[in-house]
Amino acid sequence: QGIRAWGVAVLCLATLISTEAAARTKPFKMALGDGGGSPQQVMGQKFVELLEQKTDGRHGTLMFLNGQLGDEQSTINDASMGLLDFTLVAINNVTPFSPSVGVLTLPYMMQSLEDAIALTQGEVGQQLVANTVRDANIRIIGWTYTGFRALTNAKRPIHELSDLKGLKMRVPANDIMIDTYRAWGINPTPMAWSETFTGLQLGVVDGQDNPYMTIYAMKFSEVQDYITNIRYLFSIEPLIVSEEVFQAQSDEVQQAILAAGQEATEFSARYLVEQEDKIRAELVSQGMEIIEPANEREWMDRAISQVWPKYYDRLGGKEQLNRILKTLGRDEI
Ligand code: MLT
């Protein structure tokens, strides 16, 4: 009798284990361009936890930081081909795959976190999501708010546009950003994000721009001395799922992915507000000097007058930009 009871118990346990194993699917993979402690990583981690909770532990996700799965633009390419499940990248690296997203990299378009939230979470954001699915077979399911990109360099304090002369500035391979530097009077060097730290360290480039939180997480104070607090681009980093992977999920898992993305987005906005000032102070304590530009109006006027008109067509026409400006409560162009 005892032996039979044991047998039944062992059988039940084995069934339980194999059901568990079947229920818990192979983990998703998520690529991130930035390292630990960056807003990308914090938002990605939140999403991973939420997705696991919402699927009762069935869907785990492995995160690969610091460009381990390739530079940001190649991970987007992999996701678009269904070779990678998720990638979390800066918006400027998405524009080459879906041009209308460029509206989020137009210099001085977003002037606050509120503007960034209004554009990403309202009608404009919904349209951009649909466009990226159409153009690149990728779906944006969440937004990381990383703050304004400030300009760093190793050579000298930059107060005015004329101080940029002679500096080798790294930019992402994003033509709106390249044209912005051209409007400011210099020819920047396009370079993948994964090569930027080494490029700065070896002096291939003298400077770059990125948000305070990214500058800190990527330890740029080791290779850069000066930060100029320009506010030309509010950095947004979308969390992307491969459309092929998304469509292969059940309705229930799709809903869990979308809900986790939305909650992680809201968390990211709170995290930025809580952390950004502390991070700026940390950078100063690491020896970086923060400079307020003498006349940012001039940087802004040049960028808007020389860059925007070149991209009207690609971004859906001047009327479309005026509609967007209206939603932000700003004057038409
Ligand atoms: C870039 O400059 O390419 C990006 O902002 C890097 C990032 O993802 O933080």
Side-chain angles (χ1 to χ4, degrees):
Q1 190 72 28
I3 291 175
R4 186 167 329 136
W6 262 108
V8 171
V10 167
L11 198 67
C12 287
L13 191 64
T15 315
L16 198 69
I17 290 170
S18 71
T19 318
E20 272 278 292
R24 191 172 166 89
T25 60
K26 194 165 137 229
F28 290 124
K29 281 189 183 169
M30 182 192 290
L32 293 92
D34 296 350
S38 62
Q40 273 188 13
Q41 183 266 330
V42 170
M43 191 280 191
Q45 180 66 40
K46 191 75 186 167
F47 171 82
V48 168
E49 287 164 16
L50 288 165
L51 181 59
E52 195 153 348
Q53 276 168 25
K54 288 178 191 299
T55 58
D56 298 324
R58 274 174 294 128
H59 285 282
T61 307
L62 298 173
M63 296 169 76
F64 295 85
L65 306 181
N66 278 317
Q68 280 176 79
L69 297 187
D71 68 63
E72 293 195 357
Q73 293 193 8
S74 40
T75 64
I76 298 173
N77 206 32
D78 286 349
S80 85
M81 293 195 298
L83 303 175
L84 173 67
D85 306 310
F86 295 104
T87 185
L88 216 173
V89 297
I91 193 72
N92 43 272
N93 290 322
V94 183
T95 320
F97 297 86
S98 186
S100 65
V101 169
V103 77
L104 300 178
T105 54
L106 263 192
Y108 297 100
M109 167 58 92
M110 290 175 282
Q111 301 193 354
S112 62
L113 170 62
E114 289 68 34
D115 283 357
I117 291 174
L119 286 197
T120 49
Q121 294 190 45
E123 261 174 50
V124 176
Q126 278 165 17
Q127 189 58 54
L128 295 179
V129 171
N131 293 354
T132 52
V133 173
R134 179 198 63 203
D135 299 339
N137 212 29
I138 52 172
R139 180 179 291 269
I140 296 171
I141 48 160
W143 307 91
T144 317
Y145 303 106
T146 315
F148 285 103
R149 294 175 76 104
L151 195 148
T152 71
N153 89 97
K155 291 261 156 112
R156 53 178 176 264
I158 305 293
H159 297 278
E160 328 228 353
L161 278 176
S162 56
D163 296 327
L164 285 176
K165 223 178 173 117
L167 275 191
K168 289 176 286 176
M169 293 296 296
R170 173 269 169 180
V171 282
N174 173 301
D175 45 11
I176 297 181
M177 292 168 81
I178 294 171
D179 279 334
T180 303
Y181 276 89
R182 288 192 178 141
W184 290 338
I186 61 168
N187 223 350
T189 308
M191 186 182 276
W193 178 233
S194 52
E195 290 162 22
T196 303
F197 186 92
T198 315
L200 293 167
Q201 194 170 37
L202 300 178
V204 179
V205 282
D206 303 313
Q208 61 88 47
D209 67 71
N210 255 295
Y212 289 99
M213 311 264 275
T214 308
I215 294 167
Y216 179 73
M218 301 307 284
K219 303 190 170 42
F220 276 19
S221 65
E222 291 173 12
V223 289
Q224 299 280 269
D225 298 312
Y226 305 102
I227 306 184
T228 302
N229 190 33
I230 52 170
R231 296 162 63 88
Y232 86 113
L233 245 194
F234 189 98
S235 172
I236 291 179
E237 310 195 85
L239 170 59
I240 287 168
V241 63
S242 161
E243 183 64 2
E244 200 172 310
V245 172
F246 185 72
Q247 292 304 339
Q249 307 304 315
S250 65
D251 272 2
E252 191 202 340
V253 173
Q254 286 186 351
Q255 290 317 315
I257 289 175
L258 296 176
Q262 179 59 32
E263 283 174 45
T265 299
E266 286 156 19
F267 173 79
S268 160
R270 292 196 298 275
Y271 184 74
L272 176 68
V273 172
E274 276 164 31
Q275 297 294 320
E276 199 178 31
D277 284 350
K278 286 186 225 161
I279 294 299
R280 274 172 61 121
E282 275 297 317
L283 288 169
V284 172
S285 74
Q286 291 176 348
M288 295 192 85
E289 184 184 337
I290 301 184
I291 296 121
E292 287 302 323
N295 179 7
E296 199 175 0
R297 188 75 225 184
E298 196 191 342
W299 299 59
M300 183 169 171
D301 288 347
R302 281 230 223 156
I304 293 180
S305 66
Q306 293 181 39
V307 181
W308 284 38
K310 200 170 161 186
Y311 291 93
Y312 287 158
D313 286 348
R314 196 196 286 182
L315 302 178
K318 196 170 169 183
E319 286 63 40
Q320 165 68 357
L321 287 183
N322 276 331
R323 271 194 294 277
I324 294 175
L325 287 168
K326 206 166 161 203
T327 62
L328 299 180
R330 301 239 302 280
D331 292 343
E332 294 194 347
I333 38 167

